Amino acid sequence: MSKDKKLVEAITSMDVDFAQWYTDVVKKAELIDYTSVKGCMAIKPAGYAIWENIQSELDRRFKETGVENVYMPMFIPESLLEKEKDHVEGFAPEVAWVTHGGLEPLQERLCVRPTSETLFCDYYSRNIQSYRDLPKNYNQWCSVVRWEKTTRPFLRSREFLWQEGHTAHATAEEAQERTEQMLNVYADFCEEILAMPVVRGQKTDKEKFAGAEATYTIEALMHDGKALQSGTSHNFGDGFAKAFEIQYSDKENKLQYVHQTSWGMTTRLIGAIIMVHGDDSGLVLPPRIAPVQVLIVPIQQKKEGVLDKAFELKDVLSNYKVKVDDSDKSPGWKFSESEMRGIPVRVEIGPRDIEENQAVLVRRDTHEKITVSLDEINEKMGELLDTIQKEMLERARLHREEHTYEAVDRETFIKTVEEKPGFVKAMWCGCQDCEDEIKELTGATSRCMPFKQEKLADTCVCCGKPATKMVYWGRAY
């Protein structure tokens, strides 16, 4: 039995060292491997399968809103990047540059895309002439490079996978509607598929995307009480359009600038799934995102009829993503491995179960064991997976509520941030000096100004002047 426990014993307890627990899980669950390129990861099949499920579900939701997929080059000429001043300043410290093509120095440096606003703008400037060309609702699935100083698997790496939507509209109202629409697509996806509750709101000017008029975000709370920005949607107004001369003739034949948006989600979501749902036995995957929803473990599989019954059961459960573990490892090892990988339901079936026409279902999230008749297993499995999905969201929501605090004065705010990891709701005057001071004093940043505003007090938690907004604050990844 000690060999069977080896996998779990290799994980540091999250209460002892959360950062080490996280690293242990991504390694032991075989989600990633480190590479010879510092700060870049190899995403292994188990990790990539989760990303494929994220990609597939998001892509379907995008297309339902009229979005089309395209692909832009990975290289951006320096002159193009510099067309929008605020934008280039925001990304300059993280840009990787290509200076040679083969053995020859390039006449102009090319940056490896940190994001593709400038490429889409260049494309739109040549492909939008009339109001009939609008809207353009484009998205691309690709990787981007940002030369981060400190990296962590999935959360912050120098190259990561993502999608970036870039749309162009005739009016400011249409652009704002698309910006909010995509944020809601993200939020609904996180809650319905990842079982991860999020706070929807607007970023402060200090925290908004470089070059945007307004940035909207969904913020999630991890198990250790730190916030994670899980998706953003930006309204660019006509700032990029003016920098890149993206104009169209309206119905009166007058030239107008387009209004643009941009929105993105990344492989960082896999890190969020780990940190919201994982436990000391490893990953815990919500059924709707799990690459394998059900693992069948035959007990005493060398006995006649056991393996046959296991594969027969797989056919019965063909509505779900099912796998049979027919390896020569011991049942205990298989149990431990399935827990490490976060498979939502384990089915145990052996000679006695076959005799009694039953199987044992084991929930990954609660470890509860349920004996069911083989005649009812297909229906019961569907009910169980739905229950697990629902209860995982409820537990994550309860955890967030229990770790969301209020502060109405400076002393209470500082004490709360220091002593109680989580979100702190507090009033703010709207001044960046107060944001800077709060970060300097506590390490907490403004996460968002939630759409659902509350009036907790009349004055700013930092300076005591009249408050204009209620803000979620927190330390973050």
Side-chain angles (χ1 to χ4, degrees):
M1 195 64 188
S2 61
K3 283 183 183 176
D4 301 337
K5 289 183 177 176
K6 213 183 271 181
L7 275 169
V8 173
E9 285 173 354
I11 301 181
T12 305
S13 168
M14 60 167 67
D15 293 332
V16 171
D17 186 339
F18 192 82
Q20 189 57 51
W21 166 83
Y22 176 83
T23 302
D24 290 347
V25 170
V26 295
K27 284 285 287 173
K28 301 294 178 185
E30 297 193 345
L31 301 180
I32 68 112
D33 202 354
Y34 294 104
T35 70
S36 300
V37 185
K38 190 179 178 185
C40 295
M41 58 185 173
I43 305 177
K44 298 176 85 168
Y48 200 80
I50 297 171
W51 179 243
E52 284 180 309
N53 286 350
I54 290 171
Q55 189 176 24
S56 171
E57 181 62 28
L58 274 178
D59 201 63
R60 179 184 68 77
R61 290 173 182 237
F62 292 165
K63 284 171 179 166
E64 284 176 358
T65 72
V67 171
E68 298 177 290
N69 284 333
V70 297
Y71 188 81
M72 296 288 164
M74 69 183 299
F75 301 119
I76 306 171
E78 187 170 11
S79 57
L80 202 61
L81 192 69
E82 288 179 342
K83 275 197 171 185
E84 214 290 333
K85 184 173 171 289
D86 291 340
H87 182 68
V88 70
E89 282 179 5
F91 279 99
E94 298 175 350
V95 169
W97 293 100
V98 177
T99 58
H100 284 68
L103 301 175
E104 298 297 317
L106 298 178
Q107 287 187 324
E108 181 181 14
R109 291 196 303 175
L110 300 173
C111 92
V112 184
R113 68 175 163 230
T115 180
S116 301
E117 276 72 22
T118 54
L119 287 171
F120 275 89
C121 286
D122 187 47
Y123 173 86
Y124 287 150
S125 70
R126 285 179 278 107
N127 285 272
I128 295 172
Q129 275 87 41
S130 160
Y131 70 90
R132 294 186 183 88
D133 299 325
L134 295 169
K136 293 276 193 243
N137 294 317
Y138 287 169
N139 171 68
Q140 73 169 351
W141 294 92
C142 64
S143 71
V144 290
V145 172
R146 296 180 187 174
W147 216 255
E148 302 277 4
K149 289 190 174 78
T150 307
T151 59
R152 291 185 73 185
F154 295 119
L155 299 178
R156 205 170 284 279
S157 53
R158 286 181 175 170
E159 181 188 14
F160 56 88
L161 303 178
W162 77 345
Q163 57 72 212
E164 48 178 318
H166 295 273
T167 71
H169 305 271
T171 66
E173 291 75 22
E174 283 177 39
Q176 181 63 22
E177 187 181 331
R178 172 59 73 172
T179 306
E180 293 180 21
Q181 179 184 27
M182 299 319 292
L183 189 81
N184 287 324
V185 166
Y186 288 159
D188 292 345
F189 165 77
C190 284
E191 295 185 348
E192 293 166 10
I193 305 299
L194 306 187
M196 185 171 82
V198 294
V199 179
R200 311 175 196 210
Q202 185 176 348
K203 287 286 190 187
T204 63
D205 283 348
K206 173 183 164 65
E207 297 290 333
K208 73 180 180 182
F209 183 80
E213 272 193 9
T215 290
Y216 300 88
T217 181
I218 51 171
E219 299 286 326
L221 192 67
M222 305 298 100
H223 187 83
D224 64 346
K226 282 189 179 176
L228 188 78
Q229 179 179 290
S230 302
T232 50
S233 188
H234 317 285
N235 186 339
F236 288 156
D238 60 5
F240 277 90
K242 286 176 177 173
F244 285 83
E245 288 296 313
I246 311 170
Q247 291 180 290
Y248 71 96
S249 298
D250 65 14
K251 289 178 182 178
E252 280 75 48
N253 210 29
K254 290 179 183 173
L255 276 180
Q256 307 285 356
Y257 287 106
V258 300
H259 296 260
Q260 291 171 267
T261 80
S262 177
W263 26 275
M265 267 188 161
T266 81
T267 36
R268 160 178 277 223
L269 285 177
I270 299 174
I273 295 166
I274 297 166
M275 293 194 291
V276 169
H277 300 301
D279 62 19
D280 284 345
S281 296
L283 267 181
V284 183
L285 292 175
R288 289 180 192 163
I289 206 65
V292 178
Q293 296 172 310
V294 180
L295 182 76
I296 300 170
V297 179
I299 311 297
Q300 294 179 294
Q301 68 183 38
K302 289 182 181 173
K303 288 205 170 179
E304 189 179 348
V306 173
L307 263 183
D308 289 342
K309 196 67 179 177
F311 280 99
E312 186 184 308
L313 199 50
K314 182 186 177 187
D315 291 338
V316 170
L317 296 170
S318 60
N319 291 338
Y320 316 105
K321 298 169 187 170
V322 185
K323 188 177 176 184
V324 176
D325 188 342
D326 60 350
S327 67
D328 61 1
K329 296 170 185 168
S330 71
W333 180 272
K334 293 176 184 181
F335 297 166
S336 182
E337 189 172 51
S338 73
E339 290 202 343
M340 173 66 76
R341 293 182 181 276
I343 297 168
V345 177
R346 184 173 77 239
V347 179
E348 299 171 9
I349 188 159
R352 189 182 299 170
D353 298 305
I354 295 168
E355 200 175 294
E356 296 179 13
N357 194 44
Q358 67 181 31
V360 177
L361 313 187
V362 185
R363 287 178 60 162
R364 170 62 184 90
D365 61 330
T366 62
H367 304 287
E368 180 188 355
K369 292 191 172 187
I370 306 149
T371 302
V372 299
S373 161
L374 294 181
D375 299 330
E376 300 178 326
I377 195 166
N378 191 46
E379 183 187 343
K380 295 288 184 189
M381 185 63 75
E383 291 171 4
L384 184 59
L385 290 169
D386 285 345
T387 298
I388 292 169
Q389 183 79 29
K390 179 170 170 277
E391 290 183 1
M392 285 182 72
L393 175 60
E394 286 171 358
R395 276 196 299 276
R397 189 170 276 135
L398 180 63
H399 177 268
R400 186 188 68 185
E401 286 169 4
E402 289 175 345
H403 294 83
T404 300
Y405 310 97
E406 293 180 9
V408 295
D409 61 70
R410 185 185 175 99
E411 188 181 338
T412 307
F413 181 87
I414 294 170
K415 191 172 167 38
T416 305
V417 174
E418 291 296 335
E419 297 177 5
K420 297 178 177 178
F423 285 131
V424 184
K425 297 193 291 188
M427 304 304 289
W428 176 56
C429 63
C431 177
Q432 187 178 319
D433 289 344
C434 288
E435 271 188 276
D436 293 339
E437 190 172 341
I438 284 170
K439 185 176 181 180
E440 195 176 323
L441 288 170
T442 66
T445 53
S446 61
R447 303 317 308 156
C448 72
M449 300 175 284
F451 295 139
K452 293 180 181 176
Q453 282 285 306
E454 302 168 55
K455 189 174 182 181
L456 308 176
D458 294 321
T459 55
C460 174
V461 75
C462 183
C463 67
K465 290 176 182 173
T468 57
K469 289 284 183 183
M470 188 272 278
V471 175
Y472 274 77
W473 307 83
R475 291 173 176 164
Y477 283 98

